């Protein structure tokens, strides 16, 4: 589903990852993180996709860098990050971007 974001500027956190095999609690933690992030001040939305080989991209949208920093510092999120390092991801990369403009069809 395409996130309904406001007019730019705003920020995007792009998380690209390669999963390990097996769920190992990942699904329930991912659901909890979405629930928790959605309640964070400054959260604007999220888009996520994963292929059959375990490669995924999740883009979360935020009002400002302070909102991103507060999410990073969230205690439950910190636990999920640690577990991600230890058991859920073979590799990952995180990028933070400022969205300056956007265009699209069917998203207004």
């Amino acid at each position: 589903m395409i996130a309904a974001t406001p007019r730019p500027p705003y920020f995007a956190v792009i998380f690209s990852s390669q999963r390990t095999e097996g769920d190992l609690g990942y699904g329930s933690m991912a659901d909890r993180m979405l629930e928790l992030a959605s309640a964070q001040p400054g959260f604007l939305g999220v888009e996520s996709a994963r292929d059959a080989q375990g490669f995924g991209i999740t883009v979360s949208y935020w009002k400002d860098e302070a909102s991103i920093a507060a999410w990073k510092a969230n205690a439950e999120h910190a636990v999920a990050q640690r577990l991600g390092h230890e058991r859920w991801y073979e590799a990952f990369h995180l990028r933070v971007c400022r969205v300056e403009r956007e265009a699209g069809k069917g998203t207004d």
Side-chain angles (χ1 to χ4, degrees):
M1 187 166 200
I2 298 173
T5 51
R7 292 193 183 278
Y10 55 87
F11 287 81
V13 176
I14 305 166
F15 183 71
S16 304
S17 63
Q18 182 62 51
R19 282 286 320 279
T20 55
E21 288 189 35
D23 183 78
L24 306 172
Y26 177 83
S28 60
M29 182 64 85
D31 290 344
R32 176 62 182 146
M33 289 302 101
L34 178 57
E35 175 187 2
L36 194 59
S38 297
Q40 290 288 302
F43 177 82
L44 301 175
V46 66
E47 298 165 345
S48 189
R50 186 165 304 280
D51 71 14
Q53 290 75 41
F55 175 75
I57 297 176
T58 298
V59 183
S60 60
Y61 299 100
W62 300 86
K63 176 183 173 186
D64 52 30
E65 288 184 281
S67 300
I68 296 167
W71 171 236
K72 180 175 175 33
N74 178 284
E76 276 189 76
H77 185 215
V79 170
Q81 290 174 62
R82 181 180 53 76
L83 291 171
H85 285 263
E86 293 173 1
R87 49 170 101 141
W88 294 323
Y89 299 115
E90 289 178 19
F92 65 86
H93 204 86
L94 184 111
R95 298 167 178 96
V96 177
C97 311
R98 181 179 160 104
V99 177
E100 297 289 342
R101 63 185 168 273
E102 65 180 12
K105 176 181 177 182
T107 58
D108 291 16

